[in-house]
Amino acid sequence: MSPADVNTEHPLELEAPRFSVKKPAVRHDKQGEVPDAERVKRAMQNFVKDFGRTAAIYMESCVHCGNCAEACHYYVTTGNPKYTPIWKIEPFKQAYKREYGPFAWFYRTLNLKSAVSVERLEEWQELIYDSCTVCGRCSLICPMGIDIASLVTLARHGMSKAGLVPHELWAVAERGEKEGSPLGATPKVFKERIEWLVDDYEVEIPLDKAQAEVMCAMSSIEIMKYPESIVATAKIMKHVGADWTFRLDGYEATNFGLLSGNAEWQREMSMKLINAAIACGAKTLILPECGHAYGALRWMGANVYGKPLPFRVLHIAEFLAEHVKSGRLKLNKIGKSVTFHDPCQISRRGGAIEAPREVLTALGVELREMEPGKGLNWCCGGGGGVVTIHRADPLRYRVFQLKMNQIDETGAELPVTSCSNCRQTFDDGQAHFKWDKTMNSLLEMVADNLEEEAA
Amino acid sequence: MDLLTFARGPGLFWAVTIFVIGVLWKLVGVVLLRAKPDLSVARKPSAWTGLRLILTRTWPRREFLQSTAYTEVLGYTFHIGFFVALAFYLPHILFFEDVFRGLIGVNFQGVFGVSWPYFSGGVIYFSGAVAFAALIALLIHRIASPVKRLISNFDDYFSWLVTIAPLATGMLAFSHVGAPYQTLIAVHLLSVELLLVWFPFGKLMHTFTVFLSRGTQGMQFERKGATL
């Protein structure tokens, strides 16, 4: 299969358990030729560009209690205080107080907050990107109720404008912008994949229908690494009798614009899906097993579009749960013990916590919850674009051990999740630690257990 | 003008003025910032129920209880001790009632129908001492804990200083130790005034912003059905 690797500058690595660009011989963690002062200016201006009341309230409320460290997998596994979540946005907190807060003049006059330098921002790149999956666990421990993860996202906006994004994350985001997919799942590749899957699996996969009730999207990881997910989607759609389609003008739900902090790219990527869904008159847009794609469209989509979306946005697990409830989705009982890994952006921060459990209940599994579980679940360590960054690997493996232990402690036979990014992080961790557990996809598990007579 | 006259007169006036204007300036400056409407379809019909976070975040979730116990227990010990000493000490109450009467022209009792309750001096002294000890322990923790030491700045230490100062001077005044009583009262008043003047500029503002930030997270997360 050709990865259609049209970008020779940042070639993809599609053979390893974790998909990214190849490990660069020379890192370019600074993009563009811009004077340092200009970088700092851009970072700070764009940090505050979307800086409304909410962010200002959060900025004014921190009492430096340090509790957030205890919720962060990076701090908990390393004991290194620099991974304290609120410290990860320190230069931006400093700049807010010095330049933009109600008492900015006071802080400047007494020099209580020094000006931020480009060196400081470069130093912080590791904290804002490599060691934050934006999992939002810290937001739940903060006694002041500060949503620290949302501030990291704002900080990434600033860093992206300043051209200070880690090499690989920037490279895949740029590929997404130029080619329509960060991991080589261009429209041509997607079309070829579908043709191949239709032949090999003898399934019907509608593409580019002019009108459809339901439009489905996939993540590039699924298209390139887990193409069975496409087949699973098709089988399930047929099973429930959905009038559905994929569309080449909007199929890629992965949004590295969001993860890298490039708000313009984020918007363009989201608008492709929104326009495609509108073009085919879809009443429902189904997002794939991808954590950040859910946040990008379900919660940010309408805000990007500028008005309420004229269709519903559902994660595939929510769609499955709806059809379990309606009785259209009839499943065979698996009879095994299962533990469900909650993807942070879907469960903790997205609110779709019960849907996958309702589907698992319909599969007749013995569900063994992790401790802590559900919305307090530990992140796998691959979210927020971290899994693409090679230099972050040692740290990522360290935090992954927390996850392995959690799953092992349940004693469940099968770990299951509903995020392909989590899944590839697990695949990579499994290979690294020679772990005896393989992460399963809820979607594929459902597709493999459809009741025949109902199909 | 002697020290006590200054502390009771212009000192108090300007400290309260800076406090009131500063607090309003900061709160209004933040609240008036643009807030983009969220156009996504809420999972829950009313986000207002998320305001419960203002109460529920008062104590950590079970999962975080153990790891945050030291900070939480000492934090609460300080806050409760400080509040009791501030609000239930008869001379303080007489002072507040005086201000109350001055502002609205009627007695506290005339408005609320009950008199302001108070504790004996011994209870107040004990309460102040407990708050004092908790603050010392919190400072030690701030310096000893690698996390807290790293994230601490001038604001943390200065706010600590202006908070412990009224406790220390109040306890000295109560015990009549170290200087003539009038001087002790003047120093106590001046330390309170220092706290009031610094209040709007630093972290002490969390007294007010805690409600805003918890309420904001609560409402934003609730509409998504996200974990609170």
Side-chain angles (χ1 to χ4, degrees):
Chain A
M1 287 172 291
S2 158
D5 200 353
V6 296
N7 185 331
T8 50
E9 197 182 346
H10 307 292
L12 289 170
E13 181 175 54
L14 302 180
E15 298 81 36
R18 170 270 314 270
F19 282 10
S20 179
V21 294
K22 285 206 167 77
K23 188 173 184 176
V26 181
R27 301 190 60 86
H28 298 287
D29 298 313
K30 242 177 167 178
Q31 293 85 37
E33 296 297 323
V34 184
D36 287 350
E38 179 62 20
R39 282 190 198 273
V40 176
K41 195 175 149 201
R42 285 188 194 175
M44 295 314 159
Q45 275 179 349
N46 284 279
F47 174 64
V48 292
K49 194 174 149 209
D50 296 322
F51 204 97
R53 183 191 305 157
T54 299
I57 286 171
Y58 290 153
M59 284 287 181
E60 295 289 355
S61 301
C62 182
V63 289
H64 289 168
C65 70
N67 281 2
C68 50
E70 302 294 343
C72 178
H73 44 179
Y74 293 102
Y75 172 74
V76 168
T77 53
T78 64
N80 191 331
K82 73 175 178 176
Y83 296 129
T84 303
I86 199 71
W87 185 246
K88 294 176 184 173
I89 54 157
E90 177 65 17
F92 292 92
K93 207 146 123 285
Q94 194 179 322
Y96 163 78
K97 297 231 164 156
R98 185 183 165 90
E99 311 292 343
Y100 308 104
F103 284 125
W105 53 271
F106 171 79
Y107 284 101
R108 272 201 308 273
T109 309
L110 296 182
N111 204 28
L112 288 177
K113 302 282 173 197
S114 54
V116 177
S117 66
V118 78
E119 289 78 18
R120 197 163 164 83
L121 288 179
E122 283 183 81
E123 191 189 338
W124 249 258
Q125 189 186 75
E126 187 225 346
L127 299 179
I128 291 169
Y129 290 101
D130 304 30
S131 59
C132 180
T133 54
V134 203
C135 81
R137 223 169 165 267
C138 50
S139 304
L140 303 184
I141 200 173
C142 175
M144 295 297 120
I146 301 169
D147 181 12
I148 304 169
S150 68
L151 298 177
V152 170
T153 302
L154 285 182
R156 287 186 175 194
H157 285 176
M159 293 292 276
S160 170
K161 276 286 176 186
L164 293 171
V165 180
H167 180 93
E168 301 91 333
L169 187 52
W170 179 82
V172 291
E174 196 220 19
R175 291 185 74 112
E177 166 66 10
K178 279 189 176 167
E179 302 170 17
S181 168
L183 296 174
T186 61
K188 182 170 172 286
V189 169
F190 186 54
K191 189 162 182 271
E192 285 169 4
R193 283 274 150 133
I194 286 183
E195 287 164 359
W196 160 60
L197 293 167
V198 167
D199 283 349
D200 268 27
Y201 289 84
E202 295 177 354
V203 286
E204 189 191 337
I205 306 179
L207 185 62
D208 281 340
K209 275 168 67 174
Q211 290 290 313
E213 293 268 311
V214 175
M215 189 186 98
C216 291
M218 300 305 293
S219 76
S220 50
I221 298 168
E222 287 170 309
I223 299 167
M224 303 306 286
K225 186 172 164 64
Y226 308 117
E228 294 82 3
S229 291
I230 303 174
V231 178
T233 304
K235 281 184 181 172
I236 291 165
M237 290 296 158
K238 187 184 175 199
H239 178 94
V240 302
D243 166 25
W244 76 289
T245 190
F246 281 127
R247 286 184 62 102
L248 286 180
D249 54 353
Y251 60 92
E252 171 62 277
T254 314
N255 196 323
F256 270 88
L258 168 65
L259 299 181
S260 64
N262 190 317
E264 285 83 31
W265 290 357
Q266 177 187 343
R267 183 175 184 283
E268 283 175 35
M269 290 169 193
S270 293
M271 284 309 296
K272 277 187 189 169
L273 281 177
I274 292 169
N275 287 333
I278 291 172
C280 68
K283 293 197 174 99
T284 307
L285 167 62
I286 310 281
L287 294 170
E289 292 197 315
C290 177
H292 76 270
Y294 187 67
L297 245 293
R298 174 64 180 91
W299 297 117
M300 299 180 204
N303 299 325
V304 161
Y305 185 51
K307 50 190 171 183
L309 296 173
F311 49 81
R312 293 194 310 156
V313 179
L314 293 180
H315 181 265
I316 183 73
E318 293 178 291
F319 180 80
L320 296 174
E322 274 193 9
H323 284 281
V324 163
K325 274 185 202 155
S326 74
R328 285 180 125 177
L329 186 60
K330 292 187 167 48
L331 301 171
N332 296 321
K333 307 291 182 204
I334 295 178
K336 287 192 172 171
S337 57
V338 160
T339 188
F340 184 75
H341 166 68
D342 286 272
C344 309
Q345 304 305 324
I346 301 167
S347 290
R348 174 166 33 251
R349 294 180 71 74
I353 296 176
E354 294 308 321
R357 288 171 171 79
E358 287 161 12
V359 178
L360 286 168
T361 304
L363 281 165
V365 303
E366 180 206 337
L367 183 59
R368 297 186 186 176
E369 295 290 359
M370 287 179 235
E371 183 57 43
K374 295 190 172 178
L376 268 294
N377 195 25
W378 285 109
C379 171
C380 66
V386 172
V387 74
T388 60
I389 308 170
H390 288 273
R391 69 178 180 199
D393 286 352
L395 194 57
R396 179 166 59 81
Y397 290 134
R398 209 157 168 172
V399 302
F400 184 71
Q401 292 179 74
L402 262 183
K403 197 70 246 178
M404 282 198 302
N405 292 339
Q406 260 202 306
I407 288 179
D408 282 338
E409 279 167 14
T410 66
E413 290 162 276
L414 300 174
V416 178
T417 192
S418 59
C419 169
S420 53
N421 192 55
C422 295
R423 194 177 167 196
Q424 75 156 344
T425 303
F426 274 90
D427 283 356
D428 190 57
Q430 180 185 3
H432 180 81
F433 288 105
K434 300 183 174 45
W435 192 32
D436 62 353
K437 299 269 193 319
T438 303
M439 182 49 76
N440 295 276
S441 144
L442 179 67
L443 169 71
E444 290 175 24
M445 190 176 268
V446 166
D448 290 343
N449 292 284
L450 298 171
E451 266 189 24
E452 286 300 325
E453 60 275 17
Chain B
M1 188 186 295
D2 65 11
L3 203 58
L4 187 57
T5 313
F6 171 79
R8 278 184 170 157
L12 187 62
F13 173 80
W14 284 110
V16 171
T17 304
I18 291 169
F19 170 80
V20 172
I21 293 175
V23 166
L24 287 176
W25 178 270
K26 186 168 253 187
L27 289 178
V28 170
V30 169
V31 171
L32 284 189
L33 282 174
R34 161 186 68 99
K36 282 186 186 169
D38 191 343
L39 302 168
S40 62
V41 179
R43 187 186 303 277
K44 300 218 172 158
S46 172
W48 293 101
T49 50
L51 288 175
R52 71 177 183 279
L53 193 73
I54 293 173
L55 282 180
T56 57
R57 195 55 67 82
T58 303
W59 198 244
R61 302 178 64 106
R62 176 180 57 85
E63 292 85 350
F64 301 134
L65 209 50
Q66 202 182 344
S67 58
T68 59
Y70 190 89
T71 303
E72 292 285 346
V73 169
L74 283 175
Y76 272 106
T77 305
F78 155 69
H79 278 90
I80 293 167
F82 190 90
F83 179 72
V84 168
L86 174 71
F88 300 108
Y89 182 43
L90 191 57
H92 291 168
I93 293 168
L94 293 174
F95 174 78
F96 295 143
E97 287 196 324
D98 207 27
V99 174
F100 194 84
R101 203 165 30 245
L103 284 175
I104 61 170
V106 253
N107 284 337
F108 177 85
Q109 196 169 352
V111 175
F112 295 99
V114 287
S115 61
W116 194 316
Y118 61 91
F119 291 122
S120 69
V123 171
I124 295 300
Y125 190 83
F126 176 75
S127 185
V130 166
F132 185 89
L135 271 180
I136 297 285
L138 282 166
L139 179 67
I140 291 169
H141 195 230
R142 187 165 287 287
I143 295 164
S145 149
V147 166
K148 280 192 178 175
R149 190 170 60 240
L150 178 71
I151 64 177
S152 296
N153 56 25
F154 172 81
D155 181 13
D156 295 299
Y157 295 111
F158 194 67
S159 293
W160 179 90
L161 185 70
V162 301
T163 307
I164 203 166
L167 275 172
T169 56
M171 287 161 71
L172 285 176
F174 181 90
S175 321
H176 297 217
V177 172
Y181 183 66
Q182 295 235 328
T183 309
L184 288 170
I185 287 295
V187 171
H188 179 54
L189 266 171
L190 287 171
S191 69
V192 172
E193 287 156 19
L194 180 64
L195 181 143
L196 289 173
V197 167
W198 175 247
F199 194 101
F201 300 99
K203 68 190 272 191
L204 299 175
M205 272 300 289
H206 77 271
T207 311
F208 299 104
T209 57
V210 63
F211 302 105
L212 296 177
S213 55
R214 283 187 192 170
T216 302
Q217 185 187 119
M219 285 177 65
Q220 291 191 354
F221 281 30
E222 181 76 349
R223 73 186 302 282
K224 295 180 185 175
T227 306
L228 278 178

